[in-house]
Amino acid sequence: MAGSGVFAEILDGDVFKYYTDGAWKTSSSGKSVPIINPTTRSTQYKVQACTQEEVNKVMETAKTAQKLWAKTPLWKRAELLHKAAAILKEQKAPIAECLVKEIAKPAKDAVTEVVRSGDLVSYCAEEGVRILGEGKFLVSDSFPGNERSKYCLTSKIPLGVILAIPPFNYPVNLAVSKIGPALIAGNSLVLKPPTQGAVAALHMVHCFHLAGFPKGLINCVTGRGSEIGDFLTMHPGVDCISFTGGDTGIAISKKAGMVPLQMELGGKDACIILEDADLDLVASSIVKGGFSYSGQRCTAIKVVLVMESVADALVEKVNAKLAKLTVGAPEDDCDITPVVTESSANFIEGLVTDAKQKEATFCQEYKREGNLIYPLLLDNVRPDMRIAWEEPFGPVLPVIRINSVEEGIHHCNASNFGLQGCVFTRDINKAILIGDAMETGTVQINSAPARGPDHFPFQVNFPTPLLKKKLMP
Ligand code: NAP
C-alpha cells in the first residue's frame, strides 16, 4: 500500500508530506490537494499545499546543499546515484501501485516505468563520470594572430539549483531524467511533481532519501501548478528550469528570468505512409504507437497521413487490431484505461464532436464512460477539423488521406508542434529524404515514434516551429 513499509514516514494522517532538508514535513498551510483516481473519480490520495514561505526556505536549503555537493568527488556522487537506483528498483511494486491509482497507468507499464527509471539513474552516474571527468586544453596559436603564449583549461561546472517540473504521464521517469543528470553534475534539485503523479514522485524521492544523499540536496514541494507554479519558476533562487509538459512551458519561458531553460513540450507526431509500405507493420505500429497508455504519450502517433491508394486497406487492418484492444481498469492491465482527468476527457470529447460536425468518418462508435474513452479511429479527416492539428492526448486518432508525399510533408511542417514523426516505406532512399524534409526533432523509419532507449537524444523542442510561432510576435 502507498505510504506503508519503508515509506511510512512520508505520510501524516492521510496526507503525504513534502520533502526538504533531508526530512519529511507537513505544510503550515494546513491545506492539502486531493489527487483524484481517474478510474473511480474519487479522492485517492492527498498531498501538502506548500506555501510561498516554504518554497523560499526550500530554495535556501537547496542553495546551501549545492555548494557542498559541488565539492563532493564525482565518484562519490556516482556511488550514491547507483545506490538510489538500486533502491528505486527494489521498491518498484509500491511505486507502480501509485502510478496505477493516480494516473491509471496499466499495471505492467507502471512497473516498467519504475525499473526504466532506476536504469536511467545508473546510466547517468556512469555517463556522468565519463563526460564530467573530461576537460579541454586549448593553445593560443590555433587562433589567427596569436603566438603560443597562453594555455586554456576548461571543465564543466554545475549550474546551481535546478527546478525540475515533469508532466503527469511519466511522473517518475521524467523526474529522474532531470534528477539524475543534475545530481551527477553537482547541482541540487527542487522537484515540483505534477499533481496527478505526485505521490509516485514522493515515493521515488524517498528512495533517494534512503540512499543517504546529503540534507537539502533533493527537495520536493507539492501543490497545484496553477497555485505555486509561477512563484517557483520566477523564484530568484532558481538557476535552471527543466520542464516537460504542454503549453505551460511556453508561459514559463515568457515569465522565467535569465536562467537556462530546458523545454520538452507537446507533439502532434505525424505518421506518413507511402504506397509501398508494409501495411501489416504499419497497422501494428499505429495501434501500439497511437494507443499505448491510451494515447497519453508525447511521442504517440497523433496524425496518420496515408496515400489514398492504400488508405482503405490500412484503415481496415488498423480497425481489426483496435477491435482486439482491451478496455477497462489499469489494475487489470487493460490496453485502454481512463484518461487522467475529467477535463482531459471533456477536451477529447470536444475534438470528437467537432470532427463529427464536420463529417469525419467514425470507424467505431464514440463511447465514453466517465474518464474512459474507447479507442476511436477517425477517417477522412480534413484540415478544417481541430483534430487535424490539436493534441488530443487520448485514444482518438485522425487519418488524413493524401495524394502526394509533398502533401504529407506539408501537413507535418504546418503543425505548431515539432516533436517526433515517422515514415513507412520499403524505399530507404525515399525514407531518408522524407525524414530530412520533416521538421521534427526525430524521425523513425518503419517504426513508431518513441522516446527510448533513454540514452538516445531527445531534447528536440528548442527551437521548434511551435516555439518560433508562439514566442515571436
Ligand atoms: P502540463 O499541464 O503542461 O503540466 C506539466 C507540469 O507543469 C505539471 O507538473 C504541472 O503541475 C506544472 N504546472 C502547471 N502550471 C504551472 C505553472 N504555472 N508553472 C509551473 N508549472 C506548472 O502538462 P501535462 O498535462 O502534465 O502533460 C501532458 C503534456 O506534456 C502533453 O502536451 C505532452 O505532449 C507533453 N509531454 C512532453 C514530453 C516531451 O518529452 N516532449 C514528454 C511527456 C509529455 P500540476 O499537475 O500541479 O498542474
Side-chain angles (χ1 to χ4, degrees):
M1 247 178 68
S4 61
V6 294
F7 298 106
E9 67 175 297
I10 77 175
L11 199 54
D12 177 7
D14 65 346
V15 186
F16 284 90
K17 299 181 197 172
Y18 75 101
Y19 183 68
T20 185
D21 208 14
W24 291 95
K25 302 196 175 171
T26 300
S27 171
S28 62
S29 71
K31 289 186 193 155
S32 63
V33 178
I35 292 164
I36 310 297
N37 181 321
T39 312
T40 62
R41 299 217 278 180
S42 58
T43 300
Q44 181 71 45
Y45 305 123
K46 290 178 194 162
V47 294
Q48 307 290 327
C50 290
T51 64
Q52 295 190 349
E53 291 70 38
E54 282 156 357
V55 169
N56 286 337
K57 265 196 168 169
V58 164
M59 292 295 174
E60 272 308 307
T61 308
K63 189 173 178 176
T64 310
Q66 191 270 326
K67 302 280 175 222
L68 284 174
W69 182 243
K71 292 185 187 133
T72 305
L74 196 45
W75 65 267
K76 272 198 182 172
R77 291 186 222 155
E79 210 171 69
L80 279 172
L81 281 169
H82 280 302
K83 213 168 152 190
I87 299 172
L88 194 55
K89 286 163 84 169
E90 260 166 45
Q91 299 300 334
K92 60 181 185 288
I95 302 176
E97 183 202 307
C98 301
L99 293 171
V100 169
K101 303 268 188 255
E102 284 184 287
I103 58 165
K105 184 158 281 196
K108 271 192 201 146
D109 293 351
V111 173
T112 305
E113 174 170 349
V114 184
V115 173
R116 168 186 175 191
S117 301
D119 290 338
L120 181 56
V121 172
S122 285
Y123 188 85
C124 291
E126 284 179 25
E127 275 302 288
V129 165
R130 283 183 214 120
I131 294 170
L132 298 161
E134 285 177 359
K136 254 191 183 173
F137 173 65
L138 298 170
V139 289
S140 50
D141 62 349
S142 56
F143 197 86
N146 287 276
E147 301 298 318
R148 184 168 294 216
S149 54
K150 285 183 180 172
Y151 299 114
C152 173
L153 293 174
T154 65
S155 67
K156 294 187 177 70
I157 57 160
L159 287 163
V161 178
I162 313 297
L163 173 63
I165 307 182
F168 83 83
N169 61 341
Y170 290 91
V172 174
N173 187 257
L174 290 175
V176 303
S177 73
K178 303 172 188 314
I179 295 172
L183 289 182
I184 191 66
N187 302 286
S188 63
L189 239 302
V190 176
L191 172 69
K192 201 309 266 175
T195 296
Q196 299 290 140
V199 175
L202 289 167
H203 281 67
M204 174 273 295
V205 167
H206 194 57
C207 297
F208 283 80
H209 169 78
L210 294 172
F213 279 89
K215 282 183 178 180
L217 192 68
I218 303 161
N219 307 272
C220 185
V221 293
T222 50
R224 288 186 202 287
S226 54
E227 283 164 20
I228 55 162
D230 285 356
F231 190 73
L232 280 163
T233 52
M234 294 196 278
H235 200 285
V238 171
D239 297 304
C240 168
I241 301 174
S242 178
F243 175 90
T244 308
D247 280 1
T248 314
I250 296 168
I252 291 174
S253 64
K254 286 178 183 162
K255 290 179 201 158
M258 290 280 288
V259 294
L261 299 177
Q262 187 184 39
M263 290 284 160
E264 296 177 327
L265 307 185
K268 184 75 185 169
D269 311 59
C271 173
I272 300 182
I273 300 139
L274 272 58
E275 293 103 332
D276 67 344
D278 173 346
L279 293 186
D280 289 312
L281 173 69
V282 182
S284 38
S285 302
I286 286 177
V287 172
K288 189 161 186 288
F291 292 87
S292 298
Y293 188 31
S294 309
Q296 296 172 113
R297 295 161 51 248
C298 59
T299 55
I301 293 178
K302 299 204 183 94
V303 59
V304 172
L305 299 156
V306 58
M307 290 296 284
E308 177 69 62
S309 56
V310 291
D312 284 342
L314 178 67
V315 166
E316 197 182 317
K317 284 180 192 289
V318 173
N319 282 335
K321 288 186 188 297
L322 287 185
K324 291 191 187 139
L325 293 182
T326 53
V327 181
E331 286 83 353
D332 300 336
D333 219 22
C334 287
D335 299 310
I336 302 293
T337 56
V339 296
V340 69
T341 58
E342 189 175 348
S343 63
S344 306
N346 292 344
F347 176 76
I348 297 163
E349 188 161 301
L351 295 179
V352 171
T353 307
D354 175 77
K356 182 150 203 124
Q357 281 161 0
K358 293 172 184 161
E359 295 175 0
T361 307
F362 279 55
C363 299
Q364 295 78 22
E365 186 196 347
Y366 172 64
K367 204 168 154 198
R368 172 179 170 185
E369 291 157 7
N371 291 2
L372 186 63
I373 293 179
Y374 283 66
L376 175 61
L377 193 71
L378 295 173
D379 195 2
N380 294 305
V381 165
R382 292 185 321 269
D384 62 326
M385 299 178 193
R386 285 176 57 202
I387 191 89
W389 305 104
E390 296 182 40
E391 187 187 23
F393 231 57
V396 178
L397 184 61
V399 175
I400 298 180
R401 293 169 176 239
I402 52 174
N403 291 304
S404 69
V405 172
E406 288 70 28
E407 214 181 301
I409 295 171
H410 175 77
H411 187 94
C412 168
N413 293 352
S415 161
N416 265 357
F417 297 97
L419 190 63
Q420 290 216 340
C422 58
V423 53
F424 285 85
T425 169
R426 287 192 167 92
D427 184 334
I428 188 68
N429 295 333
K430 273 192 192 162
I432 290 172
L433 287 174
I434 294 168
D436 214 28
M438 289 167 77
E439 291 173 2
T440 64
T442 311
V443 178
Q444 306 258 351
I445 296 173
N446 292 326
S447 168
R451 184 182 170 103
D454 282 331
H455 65 306
F456 277 20
F458 192 70
Q459 194 189 338
V460 296
N461 296 65
F462 207 59
T464 63
L466 171 72
L467 286 173
K468 273 189 243 154
K469 278 179 196 164
K470 295 212 169 158
L471 288 183
M472 290 177 192

